[in-house]
Amino acid sequence: MCFQKMMALGFAAFVFGAALAREADISVDPVTRCVHIAYAVPADAPDAASIVCTWSPPDSNEWRSAKVMPLLSETGLELVSGEEWKEWMQGRIVERRAAGLRRTLVFHPYPDAQIDGKVNVDLRIVMDGANPKELLRSRILVDNSDVVYMEDWTGVLQKDFIVADGTRPEGQWAYCAPEKADSAISGGLALYGASPSGAPLPQLSFMPGLKGHYAIFVCTPASCGMKVRLTGDERYDSLASRFPSEEILWRWARMDHQGIVLRQPHHYTGYTPGAMDYIKFVPLTDELAAKMEEPYDGAADKRIAGYWEPYSWAFVEDIRDNLQHREPLLAYRQAGILLVDTQLGRFGMKSVYETDLTDRLIYSTIGDPIGEVSQPRTDNVGRMQQFTTTVATEVRYARDLGLQWYANFGASNCYPGSPLQGDFSKNHPEWMRGSALRFEVPEVRDYALSLYRESLELGAMGVSIDFCRYPETIDTVETCNRFLQALHAITEEFGQSRGVHVPVLVRFPGAGVRRSELFDYRTWMRPPDGAAPWVDYLCPSNIQGKQLDIDAVPYLAAAEGTPCQVLPCIDGLGWGLPMPGPFLWRAMRLYEAGAPGLYIYQADARVMGAPMHQRTMRLLSNSGAIRRWWDEDARLRSVRSKRISITSPSELPGYHGWERLRIWVDGTPLGEMEAWLDGELVNRMPGPPYMLGTEEDASDNVIPPGDHRLKIRVKDGEGWLEQEFAIRGA
């Protein structure tokens, strides 16, 4: 979140200097306390102008690199590369097609240029080149002394748990210098902690003694973070700076009677090293705090359903107590996702709930690739099953939090030959097609229906089936219809006994997605002989990271005149749409088409993910909030730097055929774009969604294996904004 004009917050920013300084517009962002310097770019500047910013103690001419960045959207900052961030932290940015315009440079004075809360420096901006040109030289005085930094970690309440003698013993927290001399750590010291994987370090806490509203920023050593919460919170957030010196806006909150609690991170291998550089508290007036909360105010007018997978959560966490199940459900409630679609397993694999009808996942399991580890293994999921219940516990907490809790099963993935495979599929390989159970087999349908019945007996409020990730289980339209009719009969039975309707939600392949022709959604909503619909919610979806813009209009039209609701899917996985821009573009377009809500696949990755992702999710249930977000984006486009961003590959070593390289642009209207690969035009786009190629299967090989040069061109007035990237196909 960025405020363009300085607001009265009990601090001052004064500017002195030569005539060039009087042409600058210098202000202080009241939330970040960074200095914003708007300056004139010469009319003869090249299309890609190299801008260098340095600062010096007053009148000393001892110039050193300033930590700066261009003024970009949150989406642009989300997609920045590590190489570009490094240039920014060395005082170098590139302004594109900025000749004759005013651009804004964001200067981060802490810690080098801010002493005891005061900034008193000379600042210089130069356009580099064969004949460098000074664009601005100015004295800047800023009083940030009301900002509180927690950076001396010997000040925690648990002083006996901190070693501060320069060593870093295993099994203890240490306040010491980083192992790498070039690590960007404020003051040269940070909090570090490591322990054996099964023996966590003790929690730490401190009481800053603050009153009123504060914006809270966290900065950790790059890619090494910490779990953090306020003492009054019921759940932790996992926070880690992606790059050196990156401050994360964690949240804003009243700090009266509140402290901060730190906990060591946990991953699939066990407890992992934790680290914290500093936590920054910026005081906010009541008015400013209300303005920051304003985008999330207002009544919800859209129903948001979110997929929730205890398996994935437990894969990286240490789940030993039932009370821990409340934390993710609370995250869904805070995000405004009131329908929690909880996957309990995939038919044919071991289940992840307290079943008596099939075998449970009690011991080791495998997961999807993580970094360079192609098949990670863990005991974490089995541990959750050894010590907690899933359905009964989560239904109890869901009722307490006002959530609708559905029992979801993946139609089938048996994971043959792996620790995940269940006895049912092992004992009946003749009932399998590839890795999936065959639903045309009556015994398979009966097995699946028995698990739904059991989950309803345990208290599930609704049921759900995921055909989208697992369509191979269906061989004909009739097979799918037969199963859904039988599932509907079970929910009708429970509805009569409960005196309340028990809904059915179906996620299925949308148009163009593999095997979509086998899913007769029109019959589900209008069964033969005028019977009641077999389903209540239809969620046409993608399978992988390519068909992310499925046309929802045919499904919405088919549902007209029925009690069924269409909740088109937006994928929350890493191969999905970047946040917030492309993600909210898709949501806005679906609402404009008449969608009554959305289904967020793998919503847990977002509601318990990065703070900005959590804030984006909070917008989804209010269509007016999303419209206002886009109105504000349009208003600020002309003042932001012009820059093209691309998504990174989902997995190493490069882009795969099951995903698409997505594109975002700052500083120009969202208009015509061209994508070129190795000098050849691949596609033209009149507007968003922007990607290399199309979402059709024909574009699966648009990026061949190996290294390539990608050029993106965006219409910018009478000319084109161009940017090139080095990319690799897997």
Side-chain angles (χ1 to χ4, degrees):
M1 181 172 295
C2 188
F3 290 76
Q4 302 302 316
K5 298 298 181 183
M6 184 173 66
M7 301 176 67
L9 280 175
F11 65 90
F14 302 97
V15 182
F16 301 90
L20 279 171
R22 290 196 295 272
E23 298 174 7
D25 176 11
I26 299 180
S27 61
V28 177
D29 187 301
V31 177
T32 67
R33 296 300 180 91
C34 292
V35 183
H36 287 212
I37 304 108
Y39 61 96
V41 179
D44 61 351
D47 268 7
S50 178
I51 305 298
V52 179
C53 183
T54 54
W55 69 273
S56 167
D59 300 322
S60 70
N61 284 322
E62 297 174 1
W63 299 102
R64 56 201 74 177
S65 297
K67 292 193 296 186
V68 297
M69 61 181 66
L71 186 63
L72 296 175
S73 67
E74 282 189 301
T75 310
L77 293 174
E78 174 80 353
L79 296 175
V80 67
S81 68
E83 293 79 9
E84 192 165 17
W85 180 271
K86 184 177 180 180
E87 289 287 303
W88 294 353
M89 294 301 101
Q90 294 174 351
R92 306 184 70 91
I93 65 174
V94 176
E95 289 291 358
R96 294 177 172 83
R97 288 184 57 81
L101 301 178
R102 294 181 70 78
R103 298 287 77 165
T104 298
L105 182 147
V106 181
F107 170 43
H108 192 321
Y110 182 82
D112 299 335
Q114 182 171 303
I115 308 299
D116 295 329
K118 306 288 182 66
V119 181
N120 180 7
V121 300
D122 293 335
L123 186 132
R124 181 174 64 179
I125 298 176
V126 173
M127 185 171 70
D128 205 4
N131 298 297
K133 181 180 294 186
E134 185 171 287
L135 306 183
L136 179 144
R137 183 184 296 223
S138 171
R139 174 74 52 82
I140 299 179
L141 298 177
V142 175
D143 186 354
N144 281 337
S145 58
D146 57 344
V147 177
V148 177
Y149 290 85
M150 178 58 185
E151 54 186 351
D152 179 357
W153 295 102
T154 62
V156 298
L157 296 179
Q158 301 76 19
K159 299 182 186 302
D160 292 344
F161 296 159
I162 302 290
V163 174
D165 60 4
T167 64
R168 195 183 293 191
E170 186 179 47
Q172 286 188 274
W173 293 106
Y175 181 51
C176 60
E179 292 180 332
K180 294 183 179 180
D182 60 348
S183 297
I185 300 298
S186 65
L189 301 175
L191 177 68
Y192 297 92
S195 67
S197 62
L201 294 170
Q203 295 183 106
L204 301 176
S205 64
F206 68 93
M207 302 295 169
L210 304 176
K211 295 185 181 298
H213 290 99
Y214 282 79
I216 309 172
F217 294 81
V218 170
C219 183
T220 77
S223 302
C224 186
M226 196 80 76
K227 287 179 173 288
V228 186
R229 67 172 172 88
L230 296 181
T231 50
D233 290 343
E234 295 183 73
R235 68 179 188 89
Y236 287 86
D237 280 319
S238 295
L239 305 177
S241 300
R242 300 169 299 167
F243 312 118
S245 302
E246 181 189 33
E247 286 188 349
I248 302 166
L249 174 56
W250 175 34
R251 60 190 295 185
W252 49 92
R254 289 199 68 93
M255 288 302 298
D256 308 63
H257 315 294
Q258 292 257 44
I260 296 282
V261 182
L262 305 180
R263 175 185 280 182
Q264 183 183 7
H266 191 274
H267 205 31
Y268 73 94
T269 54
Y271 286 93
T272 58
M276 181 67 71
D277 187 355
Y278 63 86
I279 299 179
K280 180 174 82 172
F281 301 87
V282 179
L284 307 173
T285 64
D286 290 345
E287 293 76 16
L288 182 53
K291 185 174 181 63
M292 294 175 70
E293 194 62 31
E294 191 175 89
Y296 314 100
D297 291 339
D301 64 339
K302 299 295 181 181
R303 175 182 289 274
I304 309 300
Y307 176 91
W308 156 232
E309 191 174 291
Y311 177 99
S312 294
W313 171 58
F315 197 91
V316 297
E317 296 290 353
D318 184 15
I319 309 303
R320 299 171 185 262
D321 298 295
N322 280 321
L323 188 59
Q324 291 174 273
H325 285 268
R326 183 180 172 89
E327 294 188 31
L329 294 178
L330 179 60
Y332 278 76
R333 186 67 181 87
Q334 291 169 340
I337 300 177
L338 304 186
L339 195 165
V340 182
D341 193 28
T342 308
Q343 185 161 110
L344 303 178
R346 292 118 196 210
F347 296 126
M349 66 167 271
K350 295 174 182 175
S351 289
V352 193
Y353 75 104
E354 60 273 27
T355 177
D356 289 333
L357 301 180
T358 191
D359 47 338
R360 298 165 62 189
L361 181 59
I362 299 295
Y363 301 111
S364 294
T365 187
I366 58 174
D368 295 328
I370 299 177
E372 297 181 356
V373 181
S374 60
Q375 194 174 81
R377 287 179 172 266
T378 189
D379 295 330
N380 293 346
V381 183
R383 186 182 303 116
M384 177 181 72
Q385 290 296 287
Q386 293 172 24
F387 296 115
T388 76
T389 61
T390 301
V391 179
T393 297
E394 293 199 2
V395 167
R396 182 169 67 251
Y397 291 140
R399 293 188 188 281
D400 181 47
L401 293 168
L403 302 173
Q404 291 293 307
W405 194 96
Y406 286 21
N408 170 292
F409 288 92
S412 182
N413 190 341
C414 304
Y415 299 94
S418 80
L420 277 170
Q421 186 172 12
D423 290 341
F424 184 84
S425 58
K426 284 181 183 178
N427 295 336
H428 298 285
E430 73 279 10
W431 293 345
M432 293 172 59
R433 180 171 36 250
S435 62
L437 292 173
R438 296 162 45 218
F439 269 37
E440 67 267 26
V441 177
E443 291 86 350
V444 169
R445 295 196 302 274
D446 290 344
Y447 166 74
L449 292 168
S450 72
L451 299 187
Y452 277 116
R453 178 178 291 277
E454 182 183 47
S455 69
L456 289 167
E457 291 170 348
L458 288 168
M461 304 170 190
V463 297
S464 165
I465 186 164
D466 186 351
F467 286 120
C468 193
R469 285 292 292 275
Y470 319 102
E472 283 76 18
T473 197
I474 298 299
D475 63 332
T476 66
V477 167
E478 290 72 22
T479 294
C480 185
N481 288 352
R482 187 180 300 117
F483 179 80
L484 289 178
Q485 186 175 17
L487 180 60
H488 169 70
I490 291 175
T491 60
E492 285 288 284
E493 174 190 332
F494 276 84
Q496 290 175 6
S497 65
R498 294 178 180 180
V500 62
H501 181 63
V502 177
V504 177
L505 182 150
V506 181
R507 195 171 89 98
F508 61 99
V513 179
R514 187 174 77 246
R515 301 174 74 87
S516 60
E517 69 279 2
L518 299 177
F519 298 91
D520 181 16
Y521 59 90
R522 291 180 175 86
T523 296
W524 307 344
M525 293 186 286
R526 290 185 170 87
D529 303 324
W534 299 335
V535 303
D536 298 272
Y537 299 104
L538 293 94
C539 307
S541 302
N542 60 295
I543 292 181
Q544 293 178 310
K546 52 184 183 180
Q547 288 111 341
L548 303 183
D549 195 48
I550 295 169
D551 184 6
V553 171
Y555 306 98
L556 294 166
E560 288 184 4
T562 78
C564 305
Q565 289 194 338
V566 175
L567 304 179
C569 179
I570 300 183
D571 202 324
L573 282 170
W575 62 35
L577 298 170
M579 284 188 166
F583 198 94
L584 292 179
W585 179 271
R586 174 66 172 158
M588 181 176 68
R589 288 293 178 251
L590 288 170
Y591 290 163
E592 289 174 347
L598 303 170
Y599 183 95
I600 309 301
Y601 182 67
Q602 213 74 54
D604 41 1
R606 304 295 185 168
V607 301
M608 295 185 289
M612 183 272 284
H613 296 180
Q614 296 183 37
R615 290 191 286 272
T616 301
M617 295 293 281
R618 289 178 63 194
L619 296 172
L620 295 180
S621 63
N622 189 323
S623 60
I626 294 177
R627 284 194 301 272
R628 289 189 293 273
W629 190 96
W630 279 106
D631 289 344
E632 184 71 357
D633 177 83
R635 185 182 73 83
L636 294 175
R637 281 194 166 268
S638 63
V639 301
R640 289 174 176 155
S641 293
K642 298 176 183 180
R643 181 176 176 275
I644 298 169
S645 308
I646 63 173
T647 54
S648 299
S650 299
E651 294 179 9
L652 298 174
Y655 297 93
H656 294 73
W658 40 259
E659 64 183 328
R660 293 294 181 264
L661 184 153
R662 308 272 166 176
I663 307 162
W664 174 259
V665 61
D666 272 313
T668 67
L670 296 175
E672 185 179 356
M673 180 182 289
E674 295 179 351
W676 296 67
L677 190 67
D678 298 330
E680 298 290 332
L681 177 65
V682 176
N683 59 305
R684 289 190 177 94
M685 297 150 277
Y690 295 130
M691 73 196 78
L692 178 62
T694 71
E695 294 190 336
E696 304 301 321
D697 293 343
S699 285
D700 286 358
N701 299 315
V702 71
I703 307 176
D707 296 329
H708 305 278
R709 294 298 301 179
L710 172 68
K711 180 170 71 174
I712 304 298
R713 304 178 75 229
V714 181
K715 190 67 174 172
D716 179 30
E718 298 301 316
W720 291 83
L721 171 66
E722 295 187 359
Q723 206 164 327
E724 292 196 2
F725 305 86
I727 65 171
R728 169 171 289 187

